Amino acid sequence: MKARLLVLAAIILVAASCSRTSGSAPTGATAAAGAPVVAVETFLADMTRQVVGNRIPVRSLIPVGVDPHGYEPTPQDAAAVAGARLIVVNGGGLESFLAKLIETAGKDRPLVEASHGLVSRTVREGEVLEGGAIATGPSTEPDPHFWLDPVMVVRYVQNIRDALSRIDPAGEPTYGANADAYIKQLRDLDAWISSEVAKIPEARRQLVTNHETFGYFADRYGFRIVGTVIPSVSSDAAPTARQLARLIGALKKAGAPAVFLDMGANPQLGQQVAHEAGIPVVTELFTHSLTDASGPAPTYLEMMRYDVNAVVSALAGGAS
């Protein structure tokens, strides 16, 4: 992996040296006017498009349906980053797989960390820590999944708006107006989620997920994280038999109503845990990737609505 990243970094340096212009932007050299904005994840690309409008093309680095936790960059990715007009990353540790590539490209390309200014959550008492232990107090393990709280996405939009305005000052009024309109939609989404979650009896507002994904969502909407199949903020880890046994015991003790799995997750462990705990499995929540246009979650807003509907349907238990 280290050797591969070094090769990618070299490709970037060559591509960047061929694509630099004599002009400069506050955060680095500016790519050609027709170059795209490159957002690493599909949900970031959608957020960026909402702000950009039609002024600049936007593309996602990671394909639809691919989990960024286990992604490995390709030479094509290196070329895309080197030729980008702006690079949009989530930050918070999510893009560790691209650390050297992004660092190298960032020296010559404007880069914005969408989550800049947000503070990583601390694990609450009773949640499962990395390694399988149950938290008895706060933990400071970084959690990059800010985007599953739409109120936090407001900061994403503001950061993206400001970065676009720096590379394209003439478009600042457009970016500002588009950002304001999208922020209103995010606040409407937040209100809708709160009203939907209210349908779930408080005792059933328990989340058991494939890995530590829904912490910010849980904090915002009053859920308790009972446990995770993979006790880590990354889906690229693996639980031990002891950790799984401990999780099953915790689910039985808490009376957790269901296990929720991310799209693309191997369902076998989740199904095993659910079977042992005697509860159903809800598969294919869209958390790290959108779907294509024909799927149920082609935009961030639709992704969140889809997931909330799935969670409420599984946990409401027939309550009105």
Side-chain angles (χ1 to χ4, degrees), residues 73 81 181 206 267 270 307:
V81 168
Q206 302 183 47
D307 288 347

Side-chain angles (χ1 to χ4, degrees), residues 51-70:
V51 181
V52 165
N54 296 320
R55 286 190 65 86
I56 306 175
V58 178
R59 60 156 293 182
S60 173
L61 193 70
I62 299 179
V64 166
V66 177
D67 185 341
H69 288 294

Side-chain angles (χ1 to χ4, degrees), residues 19 57 62 139 141 256 273 278 303 316:
S19 62
I62 299 179
S139 168
E141 182 187 6
V273 167
M303 179 188 84

Side-chain angles (χ1 to χ4, degrees), residues 36-64 86 88 153 156-157 160-161 164 174-183 185 289-293 297-302:
V37 172
V38 174
V40 176
E41 293 85 14
T42 55
F43 61 84
L44 273 186
D46 176 62
M47 294 171 192
T48 304
R49 290 188 187 100
Q50 305 308 314
V51 181
V52 165
N54 296 320
R55 286 190 65 86
I56 306 175
V58 178
R59 60 156 293 182
S60 173
L61 193 70
I62 299 179
V64 166
L86 174 69
V88 185
V153 174
Y156 279 46
V157 173
I160 293 168
R161 174 202 63 198
L164 289 167
T174 297
Y175 303 140
N178 289 347
D180 289 345
Y182 191 50
I183 287 171
Q185 293 182 68
S289 173
L290 306 181
T291 66
D292 59 25
T299 70
Y300 169 77
L301 297 177
E302 290 172 291

Side-chain angles (χ1 to χ4, degrees), residues 2-38:
K2 182 177 181 181
R4 189 175 186 183
L5 286 173
L6 289 174
V7 172
L8 293 176
I11 293 171
I12 287 177
L13 289 174
V14 173
S17 66
C18 295
S19 62
R20 288 176 186 152
T21 67
S22 59
S24 63
T27 52
T30 305
V37 172
V38 174

Side-chain angles (χ1 to χ4, degrees), residues 117-205:
L118 296 173
V119 179
S120 182
R121 76 185 293 268
T122 56
V123 174
R124 294 178 174 182
E125 182 174 349
E127 293 182 23
V128 178
L129 301 172
E130 188 165 359
I134 305 299
T136 57
S139 168
T140 57
E141 182 187 6
D143 185 343
H145 301 92
F146 302 104
W147 69 89
L148 292 174
D149 175 353
V151 174
M152 289 189 167
V153 174
V154 171
R155 177 60 64 90
Y156 279 46
V157 173
Q158 293 168 339
N159 287 334
I160 293 168
R161 174 202 63 198
D162 294 346
L164 289 167
S165 297
R166 286 193 295 270
I167 66 164
D168 179 23
E172 183 173 358
T174 297
Y175 303 140
N178 289 347
D180 289 345
Y182 191 50
I183 287 171
K184 182 182 183 305
Q185 293 182 68
L186 292 170
R187 297 200 186 283
D188 289 344
L189 174 64
D190 173 57
W192 176 81
I193 294 174
S194 294
S195 68
E196 290 300 300
V197 169
K199 299 175 182 178
I200 306 172
E202 188 171 348
R204 291 177 62 87
R205 293 178 195 172

Side-chain angles (χ1 to χ4, degrees), residues 264-288:
N266 186 331
Q268 292 182 336
L269 284 178
Q271 290 171 346
Q272 175 188 339
V273 167
H275 175 75
E276 293 292 334
I279 56 179
V281 177
V282 178
T283 60
E284 294 193 348
L285 291 187
F286 298 96
T287 55
H288 294 75

